[in-house]
Amino acid sequence: MAASDLINLSGLIDDAKCFALVRQHRWPEGACCPVCDSGAVIRDGYDDTQPYRQRYRCKACAGRFDDLTGTVLAGHHQPLRVWVLCLPFMGLNLSNRQIALELGLDASDVQAMTEQLRRGLVAKTPPVELTGEVEVDEVYVVAGHKGQPAAVAKRGGSDAIASWQARRAAARWRRTSRPSSG
Ligand SMILES: [Zn+2]
């Protein structure tokens, strides 16, 4: 299939629906302030250059933000519809190179985009640093270790650390993938 056919595909995507999709994903219960988390926000017109990008004003902290503020989609040179088109291609397990071909983009651009999308839409904030007392909400017991604390202690060391790191990474993914900080 010629690349030009597929570039037309991007042209057929409805920008208004792309922004609606982002709103629905990050704020299923209605927009809330990315700074103070307040739901007391009012609509404040649209972006000057992107006519479907809704702006908001927070009544609690007087902050201003828009549909993309605080998401990986903000401030990127690719239009939102290109990001949205990446999602089904990623779902089909296409490689970055294949997606780049389909969308007429640079493979390196697509790599950066898919990496960011995999970390979740609202993942621009730096990773949380844990200090003081930390509560862990899940405990993972290897089936073969259940009731054999001595065997676990003997293995301990690097195994335990590796599995803790894997759990921490999974928890971070879940946290950053949530539409709001909830
Ligand atoms: Zn606020």
Side-chain angles (χ1 to χ4, degrees):
M1 207 178 310
S4 56
D5 295 341
L6 292 149
I7 292 167
N8 286 342
L9 178 67
S10 153
L12 290 170
I13 299 266
D14 185 329
D15 279 328
K17 285 183 182 164
C18 290
F19 281 99
L21 179 87
V22 170
R23 281 193 286 272
Q24 174 61 30
H25 181 87
R26 73 180 300 200
W27 297 311
E29 324 265 314
C32 65
C33 174
V35 175
C36 73
D37 235 14
S38 165
V41 300
I42 49 171
R43 290 183 194 165
D44 189 23
Y46 290 90
D47 186 82
D48 295 333
T49 57
Q50 296 171 279
Y52 301 103
R53 185 168 172 175
Q54 177 79 56
R55 291 191 304 216
Y56 308 86
R57 200 150 36 101
C58 174
K59 284 160 85 177
C61 75
R64 288 164 188 274
F65 59 100
D66 67 33
D67 286 335
L68 304 188
T69 303
T71 74
V72 298
L73 311 161
H76 200 282
H77 65 278
Q78 298 297 347
L80 180 60
R81 59 176 179 273
V82 172
W83 286 88
V84 169
L85 268 175
C86 264
L87 294 168
F89 288 140
M90 287 166 69
L92 292 169
N93 267 330
L94 294 196
S95 70
N96 289 333
R97 214 166 60 88
Q98 284 171 306
I99 296 175
L101 277 174
E102 299 289 324
L103 296 178
L105 299 174
D106 256 29
S108 60
D109 273 357
V110 170
Q111 172 154 358
M113 291 166 76
T114 55
E115 270 173 18
Q116 291 185 308
L117 287 170
R118 283 193 184 97
R119 275 183 243 135
L121 218 52
V122 188
K124 222 179 178 182
T125 48
V128 176
E129 282 203 26
L130 302 176
T131 54
E133 196 172 313
V134 174
E135 197 177 309
V136 177
D137 65 351
E138 276 175 56
V139 176
Y140 177 69
V141 178
V142 177
H145 288 167
K146 205 174 175 185
Q148 301 177 55
V152 176
K154 213 165 88 184
R155 287 173 56 105
S158 60
D159 269 12
I161 290 167
S163 87
W164 175 77
Q165 283 172 334
R167 287 199 310 276
R168 188 182 56 168
R172 179 179 300 149
W173 185 86
R174 280 195 302 275
R175 193 166 56 237
T176 56
S177 296
R178 279 179 195 147
S180 71
S181 61

